[in-house]
Amino acid sequence: MTNAKVHPRAKARLNRIAGQIAGIQRMAAADRYCVDILTQIAAVRSALDALGVELLTNHLESCVLGHGSGTEHKRAKPLTQKQLLAEVQNTLSRFLR
């Protein structure tokens, strides 16, 4: 995730999640059994959580720990490490709700 580029693995995960959501829409349109749809929703939530962990890890590595090394995103450059850590704390609090 360095220099504002989304890692190919994250893009692949996003594409899979989009496919899963499209599948849920098709299941609902086909009047599939509720439990089957709920199972797919749980799978999407799990996939989103895994993607969130990957993005957070990359953010910590490139923007917080790598601050000042040129690996950070352009929006992280003007911030201090203390501000970046506060941002991570706020983000985690939203992520874990």
Side-chain angles (χ1 to χ4, degrees):
M1 301 296 207
T2 59
N3 295 323
K5 299 206 186 222
V6 176
H7 192 279
R9 186 171 62 226
K11 284 183 183 180
R13 282 182 184 239
L14 285 168
N15 288 335
R16 277 195 302 277
I17 292 167
Q20 286 176 296
I21 291 171
I24 292 170
Q25 289 175 318
R26 287 189 300 274
M27 291 174 78
D31 197 28
R32 293 279 302 271
Y33 186 51
C34 294
V35 172
D36 294 339
I37 296 171
L38 289 167
T39 299
Q40 291 307 308
I41 290 171
V44 168
R45 290 179 68 178
S46 178
L48 284 169
D49 286 345
L51 176 61
V53 168
E54 181 178 340
L55 291 173
L56 179 60
T57 300
N58 288 336
H59 175 67
L60 288 170
E61 290 173 351
S62 64
C63 295
V64 179
L65 296 175
H67 190 264
S69 69
T71 63
E72 68 270 36
H73 188 278
K74 64 184 176 185
R75 288 192 49 195
K77 285 184 183 193
L79 302 175
T80 66
Q81 276 191 320
K82 187 173 183 174
Q83 289 171 317
L84 289 167
L85 286 173
E87 183 180 61
V88 167
Q89 183 179 18
N90 289 333
T91 301
L92 273 175
S93 119
R94 284 192 308 268
F95 189 79
L96 297 174
R97 284 186 195 160

